[in-house]
Amino acid sequence: GAPLAWAPGYNGAKGDRDPILGHCFAVSSACRLYATGLIWALAMKFAIDKINNSTSLLPGIQLGYEIYDSCLEQVVVLQPSLLFLAKAGSSRVGVMCNYTDYQTRVTAVIGPYVSDLALITAKLFGFFLMPQVSYGASSEKLSNAEYYPSFFRTVPSDKSQSEALVKLLDNFDWNWIAAIGSDNEYGREGLGTFSSLASAKSICVAYEALLPVDPSQDHKTLETIVRHINETQVNVIVLFSVDRPVQALLKMWVSYGLSQRVWIATEAWVMSDIVTSIRNIQTIGTVIGFAIKGGMVPGFQHYVADLFTSIQQESFCQASWEHNRNADLSVLGPQCQQCDSVSLHNVSHLLKHQQIYSVYIAVYSVAHALHQALGCTETGCSKVMVKSWELLNIMERLQFTVEEQFFQVDPFHSMNQGYEIIFWSWQNDSLHYTPVGDFQTSLNISVDLIRFHTTDNKKPVSMCFQRCEPGQIKRVKGFHLCCYDCIDCEANTYRRSADDMFCTACPEHQWSPIRSTKCSDRGERYLFWDEPLVIGLLAMILFAVVLICLSAVLFLKYLDTPLVQESGGARSIFALLCLLLLCLSLCLHIGKPSASTCLAQLPLSALSLCACLATFFVKSLEIVLLTEFTSCPKSALLWLTQKRAWFIIALVFLVESLLCLWYSYGTPEILVSNYKVLASEVLIQCSVQSWLTFIIIHGYNGSLAFICFLCTFMVQTPAKKYNVARGITFGMLTYFIAWIALVITYTMAKPAQKPASQIIGMLLSALGLLTSYYIPKCYILLFKPEWNTGAYFQSSTKEGPPEKDSH
């Protein structure tokens, strides 16, 4: 047997109905019963009988029908199709220039089931604008109303099923699969649509092939497909095929004893009896598939049971044979020799087949269209004849209700009722079709109802890759372009869309963390006044300022005493004020820099330090003349004392000022926004343009300090006696240590912390000079006043070496 093509007709007079061809339900011993096709035929007969018994749908009208076996052959299906198009009352197609008044033998066609045949018949019926309603042809090509204007169907298209398959795979995270189709219109188009949708969803088809429609004629191709599926080691196989090629494939799989897999079935074979009847079919693994959603046809099971009871009676067979002798030979096909070959047992397991409902609705759609075309009411119909093209106009906008369920023809001539997800559940070697979900526009599935073939009943893993998270890109691996590793986008890059193969760099003023999908604006980074490090530095600066101020006040109070005069007198107070200015200038490094602060930072600190060191320079020269050049005339010493000392300080300061002026107009520090050193922030800093100028300016101060150190470190001092030279020596030592520490910390510090290292280095220089030279004198002024006398200084000088003056 094979899927059937049906053509319902109608007669105007009630009771003049085409007789039932009872012998179509029997087959010869040389053929195998296609039980599913028989059940569909019975579903159509049941629907027609029910409509004819209705007093409201087509009152006074009796529908007739003719049933033909297409044998799944394109040539075979043409014969009845041409017969349907024959002029009413004849078996020949009339050739006319105008077919407006042409009355065909039948008014509408139900079927065929498969797309290959429907594409042929739909083109043929389209020429005559004869409505054709298929209950199974799902090819997407048939949705084109321009090429197939009279074709309708009660099932979804293959595109809808492909979308459902992809969403099912995506729901289980299966992205490494094999996809097999049958080598016919259904399989080729369905597989092509599925593969493109799967690719767009990043599902990798490791192996793809077409099954021969007649496996008995191409056994070698079937073996090759089975071997390749097994070699790919995928755990999930999608079979977009009609049932007979699937039967051959799974039978070979079982015979080879291959491992269990997950098989994803389409509606064409998920409930096929020729597949489920394979011996040991339960060993193939887990089967999940889609069946066209449909309700139960009320009364159908009881109807079939009564029918099979009646055909077993001799009187029925005699009446059937008598009718066949008087029937139109152009309608009847080859007759079966036995009318009792089929029993209820052969078809009982198919009485709940989902496709039955599609057949039932297909018949009712034509009946409701006739109801409108004939102007029917509950009491009767105003017309008795209608042409096919008149019926077609109504079918295109048809809306009707069957068993309180609403149906409507969409713009693609389909009535998409969606799919039911079926799971093959085996209980005591008995197969049960367990509904586990459905699909209309979205997928709903109860995973808990599915028991997989794995030992722990958990879903098998079939993955070529882990699904990439947002902010990751794909890096292809191996030979399959759809297999890849997921690579995180680095910091300051992002993935713009799911299809991007490369990370995009953020604009300079923006940033992004690792594995990001967007960029954010950068924050500003500099030494903020409220951060802990700065607060600590400000505390140290304040401490130094307080010490300097107290020392200056104390020196001013005791300005005329021998100790202060010996230390430099007013020049010491001037040096302390320069140290105070140095400490205050360090605040320019804190807060958001500006062009003016960058310009002022170096000159203020360098000039303040230079002025302070200049006072030590004068004192050091005085000491070296008194200790090392005792034969020098007093006139030379006078240049270093009293008011002439200020001239030397001014001269030293002038040189540093000229250097700073050269710096300010030549290569000053400039304000820059550095986007490279920090991940999420822009570092606003003062950048040195010329390190040569920087080194010359600070090198000049370092030279002053070095001269002071050379002039004082060899001066001998009596033990436990005060000496000015020793204070200068230690002051210069602390200065050098502070600057060595500054260079080290500056080179090792992070870019954002370099201003802090400069503050620390300069502050240590100031505190070193303060603590080594001025604080000891403050101690004497406060706690050792007996040392601050002329007599004490005279005694210190006498205990010292005769050739050296204790300064």
Side-chain angles (χ1 to χ4, degrees), residues 441-668:
T441 56
S442 60
L443 185 77
N444 300 304
I445 188 168
S446 300
V447 181
D448 296 339
L449 298 177
I450 303 175
R451 297 182 64 83
F452 291 97
H453 59 269
T454 53
T455 54
D456 55 2
N457 291 324
K458 293 183 179 179
K459 69 170 183 178
V461 176
S462 189
M463 302 182 71
C464 180
F465 58 87
Q466 296 292 331
R467 196 168 300 280
C468 290
E469 299 293 332
Q472 293 183 320
I473 57 171
K474 304 170 185 177
R475 185 176 64 186
V476 176
K477 63 179 180 180
F479 298 101
H480 295 279
L481 295 179
C482 54
C483 287
Y484 52 81
D485 292 323
C486 294
I487 308 299
D488 292 343
C489 283
E490 297 179 354
N492 293 324
T493 64
Y494 70 104
R495 190 185 73 175
R496 290 183 297 184
S497 66
D499 298 328
D500 281 356
M501 297 299 294
F502 301 96
C503 296
T504 304
C506 290
E508 191 177 48
H509 66 282
Q510 292 184 322
W511 78 286
S512 66
I514 295 176
R515 210 165 85 177
S516 181
T517 57
K518 64 177 183 179
C519 297
S520 303
D521 291 335
R522 289 176 178 267
E524 293 181 341
R525 185 70 177 96
Y526 44 84
L527 288 183
F528 294 97
W529 290 94
D530 57 350
E531 61 181 290
L533 176 62
V534 173
I535 292 174
L537 292 176
L538 288 173
M540 292 178 62
I541 292 173
L542 180 61
F543 174 71
V545 167
V546 171
L547 284 181
I548 292 170
C549 291
L550 291 177
S551 300
V553 171
L554 198 60
F555 269 57
L556 183 61
K557 181 180 179 181
Y558 295 98
L559 181 61
D560 296 328
T561 61
L563 177 62
V564 175
Q565 289 297 319
E566 186 69 17
S567 300
R571 296 194 302 274
S572 294
I573 298 176
F574 172 75
L576 287 171
L577 293 178
C578 291
L579 288 180
L580 177 63
L581 181 60
L582 173 63
C583 292
L584 294 177
S585 69
L586 298 179
C587 294
L588 294 175
H589 296 272
I590 304 173
K592 185 176 181 178
S594 64
S596 57
T597 56
C598 289
L599 186 63
Q601 282 178 5
L602 180 60
L604 276 178
S605 59
L607 290 173
S608 300
L609 190 58
C610 177
C612 180
L613 292 175
T615 61
F616 288 103
F617 176 72
V618 171
K619 191 64 180 176
S620 300
L621 290 179
E622 181 183 346
I623 292 172
V624 78
L625 288 177
L626 290 173
T627 57
E628 300 297 334
F629 301 96
T630 55
S631 60
C632 289
K634 290 184 179 182
S635 59
L637 189 60
L638 289 176
W639 273 96
L640 302 175
T641 59
Q642 299 178 11
K643 294 183 178 181
R644 294 182 180 83
W646 289 105
F647 174 77
I648 297 175
I649 294 174
L651 185 62
V652 171
F653 186 78
L654 178 61
V655 175
E656 182 74 341
S657 299
L658 291 175
L659 292 175
C660 290
L661 188 64
W662 170 43
Y663 151 82
S664 298
Y665 281 94
T667 55

Side-chain angles (χ1 to χ4, degrees), residues 763-805:
L763 188 59
L764 288 177
S765 299
L767 287 174
L769 293 174
L770 183 65
T771 55
S772 61
Y773 189 78
Y774 294 102
I775 295 300
K777 295 173 176 56
C778 292
Y779 173 78
I780 295 174
L781 293 174
L782 292 175
F783 303 105
K784 299 291 184 179
E786 66 274 11
W787 290 6
N788 192 13
T789 61
Y792 179 80
F793 277 89
Q794 290 295 328
S795 63
S796 297
T797 303
K798 290 180 181 179
E799 293 179 14
E803 70 279 12
K804 299 207 182 268
D805 187 11

